[in-house]
Amino acid sequence: MKDKGVNYANISLTFYYALNNSYNLPVANFTVPGFYQGHEKKAHRRKVVEAVGLPWAAAREAVSNGSTVSFRVGLATRVKYKILVWFTKRQSLVVVGDVAVDGSGEKVKKKGIKLKSGAPDMRCRLVIVFTFLVILLL
């Protein structure tokens, strides 16, 4: 963000536990208050979130066998960018990321969590529109 600042609205985090290989069991919700991240600045937020409804027995059994337990983190917020002296319109941001945890409760991968959007790729939309125009012209 070399030339922009970002103003985040409240950030809603939802944590899901992988039960029977699908992330259908929400175990925690948390809201980070909105903040402004200035030009070329980094923002770090550390909070402790308490999990409720997590099947601890199943999780302990899975990690005692040497395997990992998977969680999914969902993030939803609205952002607006500050370019020079004015702000852009607010844009919605909804992303998810998967986290694998070992028996000690630590992340398996040392790198950060990669968050991905469920929005379709713009190239796919262009191909569909181009195909529709070709069919229409024929």
Side-chain angles (χ1 to χ4, degrees):
M1 302 301 286
K2 195 174 191 177
D3 58 348
K4 299 177 193 172
V6 182
N7 190 1
Y8 295 92
N10 289 344
I11 301 171
S12 298
L13 297 169
T14 306
F15 299 88
Y16 299 92
Y17 176 68
L19 188 63
N20 299 328
N21 295 326
S22 77
Y23 297 98
N24 56 1
L25 183 63
V27 293
N29 290 313
F30 188 74
T31 301
V32 178
F35 62 94
Y36 176 73
Q37 180 181 352
H39 300 276
E40 297 184 2
K41 303 291 183 192
K42 293 183 179 180
H44 298 277
R45 302 290 184 263
R46 291 181 185 253
K47 301 290 180 182
V48 175
V49 179
E50 185 177 336
V52 179
L54 182 66
W56 290 108
R60 264 190 237 118
E61 183 180 327
V63 295
S64 67
N65 295 335
S67 63
T68 61
V69 175
S70 295
F71 292 91
R72 177 166 283 174
V73 179
L75 181 146
T77 188
R78 293 181 52 84
V79 296
K80 63 181 178 178
Y81 301 99
K82 183 178 182 184
I83 304 171
L84 296 177
V85 294
W86 65 88
F87 283 96
T88 62
K89 290 182 179 179
R90 284 211 181 265
Q91 299 175 356
S92 294
L93 178 66
V94 179
V95 290
V96 296
D98 296 331
V99 182
V101 178
D102 62 9
S104 64
E106 298 282 325
K107 285 188 328 182
V108 174
K109 295 182 181 178
K110 298 300 178 201
K111 292 187 177 182
I113 301 166
K114 184 161 265 194
L115 300 174
K116 298 177 185 175
S117 173
D121 190 9
M122 192 61 167
R123 290 175 286 178
C124 180
R125 290 183 185 176
L126 290 174
V127 169
I128 292 170
V129 169
F130 180 73
T131 305
F132 179 72
L133 286 174
V134 168
I135 291 172
L136 188 65
L137 293 173
L138 292 176

